[in-house]
Amino acid sequence: MDLLHIVLRLVHIGSGILWVGGSVLFFLFIEPTGTELGPDAEKFMQGLFVKRRMPIYFLVLSSLTVLAGLILFWIDSNGLQAAWIGTSLGLALTIGGIAALIAFVAGNALIPPNVGKLAAIGAAIKAGGGPPSQAQLGELQAVQARLRTIGLVDTILLAVAVIAMVSARYLG
């Protein structure tokens, strides 16, 4: 194994751990707690998304994971040789890679606009000075439910990717 392969594996595995761990932590613990707290969670969530730039954290980590993974796949498959991809190792890495790619695209394409919608609804409620209207509450709950679904699907896809990648070496 050459130095490039070692560095790519370190980047792929290290950033993948942080991406998957962050996803599990956020969508299983932070998001439900924020939903339960309602308006009281606003300052905390603002801190996460604006001050701590959590969306950038996920974008960078997911991008590093996917980029390093694609390069490793290219190297391991000797330029996408069908014979290698058809092996147990190749199929496991392909399934894991596809699951991670779907999570990457869905997460980075669907989560930020919905978080933006939440922020806009929150700003409108705050500007109104009173309790939210029924329409605002309905819209807020719909966006929260959409985010919860996206997060759950993303986390499941990432779990599939991890299981496939971990088991791949034992299959081949």
Side-chain angles (χ1 to χ4, degrees), residues 2-169:
D2 62 11
L3 182 61
L4 174 64
H5 213 121
I6 292 168
V7 170
L8 287 170
R9 283 183 58 102
L10 285 171
V11 169
H12 182 67
I13 293 168
S15 58
I17 288 168
L18 294 171
W19 178 23
V20 174
S23 176
V24 169
L25 179 67
F26 186 80
F27 288 107
L28 295 184
F29 296 99
I30 295 172
E31 186 277 332
T33 302
T35 299
E36 288 171 8
L37 291 173
D40 293 336
E42 182 183 352
K43 286 183 183 178
F44 176 73
M45 293 302 206
Q46 279 288 96
L48 277 177
F49 287 99
V50 177
K51 188 173 182 183
R52 301 280 181 236
R53 295 185 173 102
M54 194 168 71
I56 294 171
Y57 168 88
F58 280 111
L59 176 62
V60 169
L61 289 172
S62 62
S63 297
L64 285 171
T65 305
V66 167
L67 182 60
L70 287 170
I71 295 169
L72 284 167
F73 192 85
W74 179 266
I75 292 168
D76 289 347
S77 69
N78 198 23
L80 302 178
Q81 294 296 313
W84 179 87
I85 294 171
T87 66
S88 297
L89 172 66
L91 285 173
L93 293 177
T94 300
I95 291 167
I98 290 170
L101 280 171
I102 294 169
F104 172 76
V105 170
N108 288 306
L110 300 176
I111 292 173
N114 281 290
V115 168
K117 286 179 187 175
L118 276 183
I121 296 166
I125 292 170
K126 195 172 188 176
S133 68
Q134 288 300 321
Q136 288 171 324
L137 273 178
E139 192 177 356
L140 187 67
Q141 290 168 346
V143 175
Q144 286 173 331
R146 194 173 317 122
L147 276 169
R148 209 169 3 277
T149 301
I150 296 165
L152 178 62
V153 170
D154 252 22
T155 302
I156 290 169
L157 286 167
L158 290 173
V160 167
V162 167
I163 291 166
M165 304 276 173
V166 167
S167 63
R169 297 290 171 203

